[in-house]
Amino acid sequence: MLLLQLSFRYVVYSALQQLSASRVTQLCHLQAATLQTDERTDNAGSEWEVEWFDEATEAAQLKRATLHNKLPAEVRYFDTAQIFVRGGDGGKGCVAFRREKYVPKGGPAGGNGGSGGNVWVQADDSLNSLTTFRKQVHYRADNGQPGGGSNMTGANAEDLIIKVPPGTVIRAKGAAEEEAPLAEVVHSGDRALLMTGGRGGRGNASFKSGWNKAPQIADLGEEGRESWLEVELKLVADVGIIGVPNAGKSTLLSVITAAKPKVADYPFTTLVPNLGVCEMNYRTTVFADIPGLLEGAHAGRGLGHEFLRHCQRARILVHVIDGSSPDPVGDYAAIQTELELFAEDLACKPQIVAYNKMDVPDSSDYWQDIKHSLEAAGVPSEHMCAMSAVTGQGVIDLVKLVHTALDQLPAEIATTAAVNQTELPKRHSEARIDEFNIDFELESGQRVYTVTGEAIERFAQMTNWDYYEAANRFQKVLEAAGINKALKKQGVTEGDTVLVGEAELAWSDNQSEAALYDAWLSDRKAKGKVGQGQARWPHQGG
């Protein structure tokens, strides 16, 4: 048994030079399988599964072991992540009365609570990966401030802005593929709303009416929306450089741009995508170097399948062919097949075929034969060029071909199927209070009725049970919405438990206000509270 240690320096600088081609393929399959696991966050302290191979059986009977140390960050490109996002809660309303000299019966003066902070996503061109999500997964906006006396409204909370690289797509966790993403920010400065904060609760001044001139009631702040989200990065580049491992893609990028990717004379030197900016003839073009692809990459083999998505935003592709390969045409056909199997639109993108390593005699001697074979495969001769990335031969011609191909494309129109909500909604929901469902179950011999519905659950959450008038108001809403009638129809009896959101209530056949007050007061005393809206002092008795 040879245990493949996941030490970055050992793997990259030593092991890849010593292992055979089949072992390199197995290692890439190992790393790709590891990168595909759902547990991608570093701060979760999760264990990574690795594969080891039996030297005696080259049939690759894989066994699994648990490795407690994580993959080093150098061999992981963070282009996917899962984050938890929550809007801030609204501030609670205040119950207060105006008490001022020479102003008898000043009336209610409790202010409303402030709104909770919203959560936005914004594209920032200073970022090029989702590495910021390695150590922070939870993002919570601040809560609004509570209202005060003298009709003072609580301060609204500041919005939370999550910065991501351009080209980031955000979806709800577990959403179907045909479901529109929540946000897709392509250009620097683009932003979209992810989660809204809760609205502030009303103070007792808002409840003043002709028949209730001194209300002792206030709302709690609404809870902010929350959800787990899936974040995916698709690099934004004009040109994507693809090809088999060790074809010279990184060398080409280092020659035509100021990028400094890792370059070495063994396969799989490039472990993460690299971006570079080419400036020629007063024109700027962004190139993306994609790690080498293997046959079967669309199914999860090799390193490149994790990065094929980054080719989707590229307007054209530069397909680098390794001239020193035993079968350059076969390599080209294999990569084309992988592109088609991954996404049909990817294979239809315009391509420039660059035959590399013309500085090697064995490669340059066969260029004309390879060119004829590529023409027979359907590649136009004007979309082919021979070059040597090491010596610079033909590189300028390649860039000119890229510029010509870009000029021939129609003007790019930014379209997206994402929601991309850029303004706050006037109302968080259009749900009605009379839209609900009732479920019944037995829990340890106790009959439990659960009332579900977006509006009624939100109403229960914002009810401040410290005030009797709030409990009485909730009781009247249950009656007006038809919930009491529906419960009776399902056979609710005295003492049964009724759950509305997080509120647990006990059913009583006596619906009078006196019975409600007695039940509310008994519950307050059982919780060690006296009066309305205040807790009992620790030294006081029951």
Side-chain angles (χ1 to χ4, degrees):
M1 288 287 186
L2 173 62
L3 178 62
L4 297 183
Q5 304 292 334
L6 288 179
S7 169
F8 170 70
R9 297 185 179 278
Y10 178 79
V11 170
V12 175
Y13 293 104
S14 177
L16 284 176
Q17 299 183 32
Q18 298 175 3
L19 295 177
S20 63
S22 63
R23 308 302 272 172
V24 169
T25 301
Q26 290 177 343
L27 174 59
C28 293
H29 179 68
L30 158 65
Q31 186 172 1
T34 307
L35 289 172
Q36 281 185 314
T37 57
D38 291 332
E39 299 297 327
R40 295 174 184 266
T41 57
D42 280 357
N43 52 351
S46 58
E47 296 177 347
W48 292 83
E49 292 184 348
V50 300
E51 300 172 347
W52 57 25
F53 306 92
D54 190 354
E55 288 284 0
T57 59
E58 287 296 326
Q61 294 181 351
L62 304 179
K63 296 184 179 179
R64 289 210 168 290
T66 300
L67 189 64
H68 292 275
N69 55 328
K70 307 166 189 173
L71 281 172
E74 290 85 349
V75 298
R76 298 169 60 194
Y77 183 72
F78 294 90
D79 58 355
T80 59
Q82 290 185 2
I83 60 175
F84 177 82
V85 176
R86 191 181 196 279
D89 297 340
K92 66 179 181 179
C94 174
V95 175
F97 292 90
R98 184 180 181 188
R99 290 179 173 85
E100 186 177 345
K101 192 175 183 179
Y102 307 122
V103 184
K105 301 180 180 179
N112 301 334
S115 299
N118 307 294
V119 182
W120 300 80
V121 60
Q122 180 173 323
D124 186 351
D125 55 6
S126 65
L127 304 174
N128 60 5
S129 73
L130 304 180
T131 312
T132 54
F133 298 130
R134 288 182 58 198
K135 296 183 179 180
Q136 183 176 357
V137 177
H138 297 83
Y139 292 84
R140 296 180 175 90
D142 293 335
N143 299 331
Q145 295 298 312
S150 301
N151 290 314
M152 291 190 298
T153 301
N156 296 332
E158 294 288 338
D159 289 350
L160 174 64
I161 299 179
I162 302 175
K163 294 187 177 182
V164 296
T168 300
V169 181
I170 300 180
R171 297 180 176 85
K173 183 179 179 180
E177 292 185 3
E178 60 273 9
E179 185 175 345
L182 294 177
E184 183 175 4
V185 287
V186 179
H187 306 290
S188 180
D190 291 352
R191 76 174 197 165
L193 181 66
L194 295 181
M195 292 293 154
T196 55
R199 67 179 186 269
R202 293 180 294 171
N204 68 331
S206 301
F207 290 92
K208 181 181 178 180
S209 64
W211 59 271
N212 189 3
K213 297 182 179 181
Q216 298 187 48
I217 179 177
D219 286 338
L220 298 176
E222 181 186 11
E223 292 182 350
R225 303 294 192 271
E226 64 179 37
S227 177
W228 279 94
L229 303 178
E230 295 178 349
V231 185
E232 179 184 7
L233 172 62
K234 296 180 180 179
L235 292 179
V236 179
D238 298 315
V239 184
I241 306 176
I242 61 174
V244 297
N246 207 30
K249 302 181 296 298
S250 297
T251 304
L252 174 62
L253 184 71
S254 66
V255 171
I256 62 178
T257 72
K260 302 298 181 183
K262 183 177 297 184
V263 177
D265 59 351
Y266 52 83
F268 307 108
T269 308
T270 302
L271 300 175
V272 300
N274 295 299
L275 283 177
V277 178
C278 174
E279 295 184 358
M280 192 177 80
N281 296 334
Y282 305 100
R283 180 170 180 173
T284 299
T285 309
V286 180
F287 285 78
D289 171 25
I290 309 302
L293 303 176
L294 293 173
E295 187 174 358
H298 74 281
R301 185 183 182 195
L303 291 172
H305 79 288
E306 281 289 324
F307 313 111
L308 276 171
R309 67 171 69 92
H310 299 298
C311 299
Q312 292 180 301
R313 291 195 190 276
R315 303 190 66 191
I316 67 171
L317 301 176
V318 172
H319 194 150
V320 179
I321 295 180
D322 184 1
S324 63
S325 171
D327 186 9
V329 179
D331 293 342
Y332 169 81
I335 299 301
Q336 286 296 108
T337 302
E338 295 305 316
L339 296 179
E340 294 176 0
L341 294 175
F342 182 78
E344 293 182 1
D345 59 335
L346 193 57
C348 296
K349 286 184 179 293
Q351 286 191 21
I352 303 297
V353 178
Y355 183 80
N356 193 22
K357 302 185 180 180
M358 286 291 289
D359 55 305
V360 180
D362 290 342
S363 301
S364 57
D365 293 344
Y366 297 100
W367 160 235
Q368 292 300 327
D369 296 336
I370 298 298
K371 183 177 180 181
H372 294 322
S373 298
L374 292 175
E375 289 176 348
V379 181
S381 59
E382 61 270 16
H383 286 179
M384 289 186 289
C385 72
M387 69 165 193
S388 171
V390 173
T391 63
Q393 174 188 349
V395 171
I396 294 180
D397 295 335
L398 171 63
V399 177
K400 289 181 179 179
L401 282 178
V402 169
H403 288 173
T404 302
L406 288 173
D407 293 337
Q408 293 174 352
L409 293 176
E412 188 176 13
I413 301 177
T415 59
T416 177
V419 177
N420 277 357
Q421 187 171 348
T422 57
E423 296 182 357
L424 292 175
K426 295 182 179 180
R427 293 188 61 183
H428 294 314
S429 173
E430 299 294 334
R432 294 171 51 89
I433 200 74
D434 56 355
E435 297 175 349
F436 60 88
N437 293 314
I438 299 178
D439 299 322
F440 170 76
E441 61 181 346
L442 284 173
E443 293 184 1
S444 302
Q446 178 68 31
R447 296 160 56 89
V448 178
Y449 294 85
T450 303
V451 181
T452 57
E454 182 180 348
I456 188 61
E457 289 185 47
R458 182 171 61 250
F459 185 80
Q461 179 266 310
M462 296 185 67
T463 299
N464 191 341
W465 304 99
D466 289 344
Y467 296 96
Y468 164 70
E469 288 188 26
N472 188 27
R473 174 169 170 257
F474 186 79
Q475 178 69 27
K476 292 179 179 179
V477 169
L478 292 182
E479 184 67 32
I483 296 177
N484 285 349
K485 183 178 180 180
L487 288 170
K488 293 177 182 178
K489 188 176 181 180
Q490 292 202 15
V492 66
T493 59
E494 184 79 23
D496 289 350
T497 300
V498 179
L499 301 178
V500 184
E502 296 183 359
E504 182 176 338
L505 311 173
W507 177 265
S508 175
D509 294 330
N510 187 352
Q511 299 289 315
S512 65
E513 291 191 12
L516 175 62
Y517 179 79
D518 291 339
W520 172 83
L521 187 59
S522 299
D523 181 70
R524 294 280 294 173
K525 290 182 178 180
K527 294 179 179 178
K529 300 179 180 180
V530 294
Q532 296 194 96
Q534 61 183 359
R536 181 188 65 180
W537 288 99
H539 61 273
Q540 288 183 342

